[in-house]
Amino acid sequence: MHCGLLTIQKEEVPLKSIEVELEVRDHVATVVSTLNYENKEDKPVEAVFVFPLPGDAAVCHFSAKLGQTQIVAEVKEKQEAREEYDDALSSGQQAFLLEESQQSPDIFSLSVGSLPPGESASIRLEYVTELAVQADDGLRFSLPAVLNPRYQPQGSEGSSVQVTSVPASLVPYSLSLSARVSSARPVSKVESSCSLDPLQYLNTDQTQATIKLSAGHKFDRDVELLLYYKDAHQPTAVVEAGQASAKQGSLMGDPVVMVSLYPEFPQSVMSTVASRGEFVFLLDRSGSMECSLNNSKQGETRISSARDTLLLLLKSLPMGCYFNIYSFGSSFEHIFPKSVEYSQQTMEEALKKVEEMDANLGGTEILMPLRHIYSQPCIPNQPRQLFVFTDGEVWNTKEITDLVKRNSGSHRCFSFGIGEGASSALINGLAKEGGGHAQFITGTDRMQPKVMQSLRFALQPAVVDVSVTWDLPKGVSVTALSPPITAVFQGQRSLIYAQLTGQSSEPAEGSVTVKYSLAGHPSQNQLNFSLKPAEDTGLTVHRLAAQTRIRFFEMGDREDAEEMKKKVVELSIQSGVSSSLTAYIAVNKTDGEAIQGPLVRRNIPIRGFKLGRKKKGLKSKALSVESVVSIPEKICRDPFLQLVSLQKASGYWELDPALAAALGKTSEELENQNPALVNNEVWATILALIWLHGFKMDAKEEWELLAMKAASWLHVHAPCVMAYVEAGNALLGCSVQKDVLGL
């Protein structure tokens, strides 16, 4: 029975409210969600709630409270847990089952069985997660409140979880969230795309603070918090004592250390931009890309923002590189049969095709184009860089990330989750397995600055020969729990988990050193730390380490599939952290009367969005959504994008009426103010650079690379430009200095 329709007809559903308590310590968050159920019907119900969690969350506690009775769930092998749940329901007992989707680790299903008429139940769910570092050094916490329907490719194995989806105004339960933030460094601010109550500091040095989500959250977006600390890029190490009841020598019984490093590369290396590379852009053109970027009715569509982003990317590529653009839905297309050398001709041909791209290719089948891209031979001395743009509405996440992992030796993968509800498991998984970087574009975010930051990462020399060495006192040994580090980027955090075994009579200090080679330069980062366990961390670090290890085993070699499954189940049960092969099960075994009467199933609706139009004749297994969003297309391009679109591949602009219009001048004004004997292209290029520096400094991240290309072109074609900069400033009403322009 689908009760989405029943909900719209105002039928009661059992879930009444969700309360979330968030505790953040530096870059780790512990999240406790309490789901309150009440059965107002005259017969017992089974309530099923399918909901999203962050893809890298380690679910570590699940319990239920019925009146005064508290039942704590156990982790068991998934089939065993399901059978125990079914047996409990058939014998009239109350039972609760929490399981992770087999296809995607960011979707969970919670079944509340045999809730008698008039009774209430309170479910407590706890997980821990690492917070990702953003482009502006903020730490991102996201509580997914939106679960978009996930597209299941035709003919794929496994049944998808049924999601009942309704418009935000009809979500029949409330959400409250309160957060406590603490760090060794002051908390400078907390931002959100949702309405927050003011930040409250708990001490004078501002290292502890609380924040609350304002009442009345509308479920029209994920709840996202951006946390900013002063001096955020400080390396840290936290040692956590083992669990007293666990066996010594096991992951849970021994101390575990979590090391957080922020590599800083030499400025001399960072100022050089690679002029080589094969850049492959893969754009989602499924129907859902026609939705608004920020879910407002007048907002820019996801596909139009992606088109503008591709314009910036193509203008910013270095001469001498190769590129191609693929797009996908239920089928896929490419602009060129294989990657081509970047030139004025190939750039213009690509931009013409990009302008025609629409969200009209049906479903979201990303495996086919990925397989095709990986089947293409790599170009010698041109490192492959793959950029994937998607709203992440797929079921077969594990299959996709597994494919990227198998091809990780031949490329780096940079991923972009567009809009609310994009699968964090897919977006983070693509980047993690592909040795790249993940970005999420939500709320009022602009896609362009985030994508251009990733292009700068892609143009950085690749870090190679990464090694981690430990120096520990005699008697203490170390076992690495994290997979080997494959990607290191300037200003981005690298996390290492390790198990410490044994004890030492010497002073309890250790050190860890990460060595790597960058553009032929050997570099290293070293951190000394105390082996004395931190206080009050509970088992947070152990659970994160266990989850890292579980995910590593889940992505393991297929030849050892049975051995890997055994390790996953064993570690999941030992650590109490859920996995794709286990589930949490709780049965109320108190001596009460068996619950009488037939059990009615109630699927609890979740907020979702309408998928855009499908290509005629295509069948999709995507689940329908009730909310309709109509968005007008952008009619005119803003002057900034107009100016960018006029730049030539090698970096210069031409003096023509289109440039004059973008600069807000007439052709006559540009020609009359041209200093004597100046080449028209030099004059046009200087004017464009002055305009960018004078009027668009707020978007510098977006045009910085193409401005560097223009400055390089001027160095060759106009060694002396002082007089022309002065004339350009006078014409445009600016006061930009020559050295600021990079000249």
Side-chain angles (χ1 to χ4, degrees):
M1 177 188 290
H2 282 282
C3 66
L5 295 172
L6 297 175
T7 305
I8 288 167
Q9 294 165 0
K10 303 293 186 283
E11 178 118 359
E12 289 284 351
V13 293
L15 182 60
K16 289 292 149 196
S17 64
I18 303 175
E19 298 158 14
V20 179
E21 293 172 30
L22 169 66
E23 173 137 359
V24 180
R25 289 171 180 254
D26 290 318
H27 57 266
V28 172
T30 301
V31 186
V32 178
S33 293
T34 305
L35 296 89
N36 298 306
Y37 290 84
E38 184 184 358
N39 181 13
K40 288 190 174 178
E41 299 191 37
D42 57 3
K43 45 190 154 326
V45 299
E46 178 190 19
V48 180
F49 184 36
V50 177
F51 59 98
L53 286 179
D56 53 0
V59 176
C60 53
H61 175 87
F62 177 53
S63 61
K65 191 173 184 183
L66 306 150
Q68 297 304 308
T69 308
Q70 179 91 4
I71 317 161
V72 178
E74 295 176 77
V75 177
K76 295 191 177 180
E77 191 275 326
K78 188 173 274 188
Q79 192 54 40
E80 184 188 337
R82 285 174 176 169
E83 288 171 7
E84 190 174 330
Y85 177 79
D86 291 340
D87 290 347
L89 296 200
S90 58
S91 61
Q93 289 178 304
Q94 291 172 301
F96 306 86
L97 182 72
L98 178 72
E99 54 185 322
E100 180 185 305
S101 160
Q102 203 79 30
Q103 289 82 20
S104 190
D106 61 344
I107 300 194
F108 281 75
S109 172
L110 170 60
S111 303
V112 178
S114 292
L115 194 58
E119 283 219 10
S120 299
S122 180
I123 307 292
R124 182 184 166 98
L125 168 72
E126 184 176 331
Y127 65 87
V128 290
T129 184
E130 301 159 359
L131 303 184
V133 183
Q134 300 302 287
D136 60 358
D137 295 339
L139 294 174
R140 178 180 185 264
F141 168 76
S142 178
L143 179 76
V146 176
L147 176 55
N148 288 337
R150 299 292 175 92
Y151 180 85
Q152 185 175 359
Q154 291 288 332
S156 61
E157 292 179 15
S159 59
S160 61
V161 181
Q162 292 298 298
V163 181
T164 305
S165 209
V166 296
S169 58
L170 295 179
V171 172
Y173 45 87
S174 62
L175 172 71
S176 64
L177 179 141
S178 61
R180 182 186 175 105
V181 184
S182 58
S183 170
R185 295 170 296 283
V187 181
S188 52
K189 60 178 176 175
V190 179
E191 293 179 350
S192 178
S193 56
C194 303
S195 181
L196 298 177
D197 290 349
L199 184 70
Q200 303 282 333
Y201 288 108
L202 302 179
N203 56 6
T204 51
D205 57 7
Q206 300 189 339
T207 56
Q208 295 182 9
T210 58
I211 192 89
K212 274 187 180 177
L213 183 69
S214 298
H217 180 67
K218 300 297 183 199
F219 286 92
D220 57 344
R221 65 194 63 182
D222 293 342
V223 179
E224 184 180 76
L225 296 180
L226 293 169
L227 314 172
Y228 296 86
Y229 301 130
K230 288 176 183 166
D231 304 320
H233 284 197
Q234 300 302 313
T236 57
V238 176
V239 176
E240 184 177 83
Q243 196 171 16
S245 58
K247 181 183 163 191
Q248 281 202 330
S250 67
L251 187 150
M252 296 307 288
D254 281 347
V256 168
V257 60
M258 174 176 65
V259 177
S260 172
L261 295 171
Y262 290 86
E264 293 293 336
F265 299 160
Q267 188 55 42
S268 56
V269 178
M270 293 308 300
S271 57
T272 60
V273 173
S275 59
R276 291 185 311 200
E278 179 197 7
F279 296 87
V280 181
F281 304 109
L282 179 57
L283 176 64
D284 188 342
R285 286 173 58 193
S286 61
S288 53
M289 286 289 286
E290 204 171 74
C291 291
S292 160
L293 191 60
N294 61 6
N295 304 323
S296 67
K297 290 188 178 176
Q298 286 77 39
E300 182 181 26
T301 62
R302 297 172 184 179
I303 192 70
S304 66
S305 181
R307 283 195 299 263
D308 289 347
T309 303
L310 279 172
L311 164 69
L312 276 174
L313 282 166
L314 287 173
K315 294 293 181 177
S316 301
L317 290 179
M319 294 297 284
C321 75
Y322 285 72
F323 79 103
N324 202 355
I325 299 174
Y326 289 75
S327 55
F328 68 93
S330 298
S331 58
F332 73 91
E333 300 174 358
H334 43 68
I335 290 182
F336 305 106
K338 62 179 184 178
S339 293
V340 295
E341 189 168 354
Y342 179 71
S343 67
Q344 183 61 29
Q345 182 184 340
T346 55
M347 182 190 78
E348 282 181 355
E349 192 177 337
L351 283 172
K352 197 172 173 186
K353 297 275 179 65
V354 167
E355 279 297 318
E356 297 165 1
M357 287 182 176
D358 212 344
N360 57 357
L361 290 187
T364 312
E365 299 203 20
I366 193 172
L367 266 178
M368 291 187 300
L370 279 175
R371 283 177 179 144
H372 180 83
I373 290 165
Y374 293 142
S375 73
Q376 301 291 303
C378 290
I379 302 165
N381 300 316
Q382 301 284 353
R384 181 173 285 171
Q385 317 277 5
L386 175 62
F387 284 62
V388 181
F389 301 85
T390 179
D391 53 13
E393 299 174 2
V394 296
W395 275 113
N396 54 339
T397 303
K398 286 184 177 172
E399 202 178 349
I400 294 164
T401 53
D402 195 31
L403 176 65
V404 174
K405 183 184 180 183
R406 290 201 304 274
N407 291 276
S408 60
S410 65
H411 78 306
R412 286 196 287 185
C413 181
F414 297 85
S415 55
F416 306 90
I418 303 169
E420 311 293 342
S423 165
S424 61
L426 176 68
I427 304 307
N428 287 327
L430 286 170
K432 189 172 184 180
E433 300 303 340
H437 187 250
Q439 302 264 26
F440 290 86
I441 297 104
T442 57
T444 56
D445 289 347
R446 280 173 53 77
M447 191 185 301
Q448 291 83 354
K450 295 195 171 190
V451 174
M452 296 313 289
Q453 186 207 27
S454 289
L455 179 59
R456 279 194 290 277
F457 283 157
L459 290 168
Q460 283 179 18
V463 168
V464 294
D465 301 330
V466 183
S467 67
V468 179
T469 54
W470 299 83
D471 184 11
L472 297 168
K474 194 175 178 182
V476 180
S477 62
V478 65
T479 305
L481 300 173
S482 307
I485 298 173
T486 54
V488 180
F489 295 109
Q490 165 78 10
Q492 289 296 302
R493 185 183 63 223
S494 293
L495 275 179
I496 302 167
Y497 293 97
Q499 180 179 336
L500 303 174
T501 306
Q503 288 185 326
S504 167
S505 54
E506 298 175 23
E509 282 241 330
S511 75
V512 58
T513 305
V514 178
K515 294 181 180 177
Y516 49 87
S517 179
L518 176 71
H521 301 277
S523 298
Q524 69 175 48
N525 292 93
Q526 184 174 339
L527 177 65
N528 298 315
F529 60 92
S530 166
L531 294 180
K532 185 183 175 188
E535 296 176 8
D536 303 331
T537 61
L539 288 168
T540 303
V541 173
H542 280 74
R543 284 163 176 162
L544 286 171
Q547 195 258 3
T548 300
R549 203 83 187 127
I550 286 167
R551 292 284 181 251
F552 178 69
F553 289 145
E554 286 176 336
M555 296 292 290
D557 288 333
R558 292 185 173 181
E559 290 115 44
D560 301 328
E562 286 309 311
E563 182 61 28
M564 288 298 175
K565 282 181 182 176
K566 187 179 165 189
K567 285 182 177 177
V568 168
V569 172
E570 196 176 283
L571 182 53
S572 178
I573 291 170
Q574 179 198 341
S575 63
V577 171
S578 70
S579 72
S580 60
L581 301 175
T582 54
Y584 270 103
I585 173 72
V587 177
N588 185 7
K589 294 177 179 173
T590 53
D591 297 329
E593 288 183 23
I595 295 161
Q596 303 296 321
L599 200 59
V600 180
R601 183 183 172 102
R602 289 281 179 255
N603 291 330
I604 293 166
I606 187 165
R607 164 65 172 133
F609 303 116
K610 183 176 178 62
L611 293 178
R613 67 176 185 273
K614 298 280 176 201
K615 199 173 179 183
K616 214 170 179 180
L618 286 171
K619 289 182 182 175
S620 159
K621 289 188 188 176
L623 302 163
S624 63
V625 188
E626 306 298 330
S627 160
V628 180
V629 182
S630 123
I631 301 141
E633 278 295 328
K634 254 191 336 183
I635 296 164
C636 58
R637 173 168 275 169
D638 87 13
F640 167 58
L641 290 174
Q642 183 64 26
L643 181 72
V644 169
S645 71
L646 298 172
Q647 189 187 26
K648 303 298 179 184
S650 58
Y652 71 90
W653 276 264
E654 287 183 339
L655 197 66
D656 59 18
L659 176 69
L663 298 176
K665 300 293 178 185
T666 63
S667 296
E668 291 75 23
E669 284 176 301
L670 263 58
E671 286 164 13
N672 293 341
Q673 295 293 322
N674 186 351
L677 303 177
V678 169
N679 173 307
N680 277 350
E681 283 84 15
V682 171
W683 175 232
T685 304
I686 287 172
L687 286 174
L689 285 179
I690 290 172
W691 189 89
L692 288 171
H693 281 275
F695 299 103
K696 294 302 290 184
M697 281 304 288
D698 59 329
K700 188 179 178 186
E701 285 176 314
E702 300 175 36
W703 53 256
E704 195 168 24
L705 287 171
L706 61 89
M708 284 168 65
K709 192 158 67 165
S712 297
W713 183 88
L714 283 170
H715 276 296
V716 175
H717 294 87
C720 183
V721 295
M722 191 63 210
Y724 317 131
V725 173
E726 288 174 4
N729 275 321
L731 174 63
L732 297 175
C734 299
S735 54
V736 180
Q737 299 299 309
K738 184 183 78 163
D739 56 344
V740 172
L741 298 175
L743 304 177

